[in-house]
Structures are given as C-alpha cells and as structure tokens.
Amino acid sequence: MTKPLAESILALDFPEADAARIDELNCKANEGTLTAEEEAELEIYVNISDLLAYWQSKARQNPQQSS
C-alpha cells in the first residue's frame, strides 16, 4: 500500500449528515424506540463503520508508510 493511499484511507469518515443520523439512531436505540426499518439502517451504518475501521487498521500497519 502506498503512503498516499494509506493517508487517504485514514482520512475517510462519515459525512456530517450521516454522522448526525447515526447519533439520532443511537439515541433512539438507547431509548428503545427504534423501528425495524431504523434498526436495519443502523446496522448498515455499523457494518460500514466496522469495515472502515478494518481498512484504517491495515493502513496504520502498512510498513511502507513512514511516520
């Protein structure tokens, strides 16, 4: 993995609107008021977040990336 690719992966994050939606869904989940549709939506966000965390972990471990 090249250093520019690793840096690009490390810079990835949810857009502000999606981050706000995730916060909203998490609040509803904590209150126990999520609908089935919202639960599915939140699960999609969680899966994407897990994948992004995996990619970022790999980018941090990249031996070609100098500090």
Side-chain angles (χ1 to χ4, degrees), residues 16-60:
E16 192 172 314
D18 286 320
R21 180 64 176 156
I22 292 166
D23 287 342
E24 177 185 343
L25 292 170
N26 278 326
C27 285
K28 289 183 83 171
N30 290 336
E31 295 167 355
T33 60
L34 271 182
T35 66
E37 185 177 293
E38 289 170 330
E39 188 174 347
E41 181 182 2
L42 182 57
E43 187 167 336
I44 291 167
Y45 280 121
V46 168
N47 289 339
I48 293 168
S49 180
D50 288 348
L51 182 58
L52 181 57
Y54 173 78
W55 287 345
Q56 289 175 335
S57 173
K58 291 297 181 186
R60 284 185 201 94

